[in-house]
Amino acid sequence: MRSLILLALAAATTARSLLSPRQTTTPLPSTFHWTSSDILVTPKNDTRHISGLKDPSIIFHNGAYHVFASIAKATGDNYNLVYFNFTDFAAAHAAPFAYLDQSALGPGYRAAPEVFFFAPQQLWYLVYQNGNAAYSTNRDISDPAGWSAPATFYSGTPALIEAGVGTTGYWVDMWVICDAAHCHLFSSDDNGRLYRSQTALADFPRGMSEPVVALQDTKENLFEAANVYALGNGNGSASYLLLVECIGAGDSPGGVRYFRSWTAASLDGKWTALAATQENPFMGAANVRFESGRSWTTSISHGEIVRSDVDQNLRIGPVGSWRFMYQGVDPKSTDVTYNDIPWNLGLLTQVAGK
């Protein structure tokens, strides 16, 4: 009997050692440190004449990294979306581009994508902005021709957001995350307000409620590019992590960008600041070291934590394991309009134990 008890205890110990990221017990630190790759991916030298590669959404699925991003240029159709995949970051630069205006998404303004698998419908969703909060669906993430034509969560801009946008802002950077009962849509107005609306999980993508203001600050302190993630268990009251891109002091095309962070117990709850200054950011020039020794950007701008949990809950792995694909730009780039800023993509890796 004693030997059976010992075997049972050993099995339990082994099971605990194989806990998945969703069961992590590591608390969140109050400061973060990262290393950055050199430039990983740039616009192709092709007939598209793209100036900037921006806003990457990235997941790891079936042995490959799948990336959706905005492509920008100063003239013509300024924005649309691109897809590429690779199995190793060292080969990311060589990945062929599939321009999604060749799918049913069509030409015209599409930007700032977010991709996830909506398990209740067994469909991939691509959420993006097209002047409204838009989405397309696909059965196969690796088939760039399979995306459906744009549909929208709203028939027009909700009144609260229209008032917030005013004459100086834009309705941008839609982000969907779901819990056990609801799907929540976050978005920004470039004037310092983060909005949230929701619909029942069973009704998604229909029935999105009128938005409410989830967080508010100055334009510079709460600009755009919000990411919201579910954390593993064991973080006390911090079940969700919010990242928002801000504009700090310094000179760089588009302004020096960095990320502040907050946590909350629920997606509709109160957000509590975590690492939330330019001096102590979640990610920014103050806490990023470049592996090559060449600081190719002072802006850590719009991107996403690399997810291996691909469903609508947007759960990320344990603290210390995070990687973040982002857009950066040479601060010496001058005399360019906003749409012509030469953004490239890089990868941050969290330094564990700090």
Side-chain angles (χ1 to χ4, degrees):
M1 178 63 71
R2 183 173 182 274
S3 62
L4 289 175
I5 293 172
L6 289 174
L7 284 172
L9 289 171
T13 300
T14 300
R16 282 194 297 271
S17 71
L18 296 176
L19 288 176
S20 68
R22 69 184 65 235
Q23 295 169 296
T24 179
T25 58
T26 305
L28 292 178
S30 58
T31 59
F32 295 85
H33 299 273
W34 308 83
T35 60
S36 176
S37 70
D38 207 341
I39 295 172
L40 279 183
V41 190
T42 65
K44 301 293 186 187
N45 184 18
D46 59 19
T47 58
R48 294 287 181 137
H49 305 297
I50 302 304
S51 299
L53 186 62
K54 305 179 59 180
D55 316 326
S57 180
I58 180 170
I59 60 165
F60 184 75
H61 176 65
N62 281 351
Y65 296 95
H66 301 263
V67 178
F68 296 80
S70 304
I71 50 176
K73 58 183 180 179
T75 59
D77 283 340
N78 298 110
Y79 285 86
N80 208 277
L81 303 179
V82 67
Y83 163 76
F84 56 98
N85 65 65
F86 50 88
T87 57
D88 190 311
F89 280 102
H93 70 285
F97 281 5
Y99 295 104
L100 297 189
D101 60 3
Q102 300 303 297
S103 73
L105 263 80
Y109 177 63
R110 290 94 169 89
E114 178 213 7
V115 67
F116 62 90
F117 184 68
F118 190 62
Q121 297 172 3
Q122 294 292 290
L123 278 175
W124 292 96
Y125 271 75
L126 191 63
V127 176
Y128 51 94
Q129 63 197 49
N130 68 346
N132 200 320
Y135 63 89
S136 296
T137 61
N138 197 340
R139 291 286 177 187
D140 180 2
I141 191 174
S142 63
D143 177 15
W147 291 101
S148 64
T152 57
F153 292 104
Y154 294 98
S155 59
T157 305
L160 179 68
I161 296 177
E162 189 168 16
V165 167
T167 60
T168 59
Y170 300 91
W171 188 24
V172 296
D173 297 342
M174 290 70 192
W175 183 269
V176 169
I177 179 173
C178 305
D179 55 29
H182 294 94
C183 291
H184 303 254
L185 171 65
F186 289 84
S187 60
S188 300
D189 65 9
D190 275 356
N191 276 330
R193 298 173 193 86
L194 178 70
Y195 300 95
R196 185 191 61 81
S197 50
Q198 67 183 54
T199 187
L201 187 73
D203 293 336
F204 182 81
R206 301 174 303 279
M208 202 62 73
S209 67
E210 288 298 310
V212 297
V213 176
L215 205 60
Q216 186 168 350
D217 206 322
T218 65
K219 172 178 180 173
E220 291 75 18
N221 285 343
L222 201 77
F223 190 51
E224 60 186 23
N227 290 193
V228 189
Y229 299 105
L231 296 166
N233 296 329
N235 289 292
S237 62
S239 297
Y240 292 95
L241 174 68
L242 164 66
L243 313 177
V244 179
E245 182 177 352
C246 307
I247 304 175
D251 293 322
S252 184
V256 172
R257 306 297 182 89
Y258 70 99
F259 280 86
R260 301 172 69 201
S261 60
W262 295 259
T263 59
S266 64
L267 289 167
D268 60 354
K270 175 180 172 60
W271 293 100
T272 300
L274 179 61
T277 66
Q278 189 175 8
E279 296 73 26
N280 179 34
F282 185 81
M283 298 173 292
N287 63 354
V288 170
R289 177 179 60 83
F290 289 81
E291 295 168 350
S292 68
R294 184 178 79 90
S295 300
W296 61 272
T297 180
T298 54
S299 281
I300 306 299
S301 186
H302 196 138
E304 187 180 357
I305 291 178
V306 181
R307 285 179 284 129
S308 55
D309 277 20
V310 301
D311 69 16
Q312 71 278 357
N313 296 310
L314 272 56
R315 193 175 301 275
I316 54 176
V319 63
S321 70
W322 297 338
R323 294 175 297 168
F324 188 90
M325 183 173 250
Y326 72 99
Q327 65 182 38
V329 61
D330 184 345
K332 297 185 179 66
S333 299
T334 58
D335 299 325
V336 291
T337 63
Y338 184 83
N339 291 336
D340 215 24
I341 294 174
W343 297 103
N344 297 300
L345 303 185
L347 182 73
L348 298 181
T349 299
Q350 188 183 7
V351 179
K354 290 192 176 182

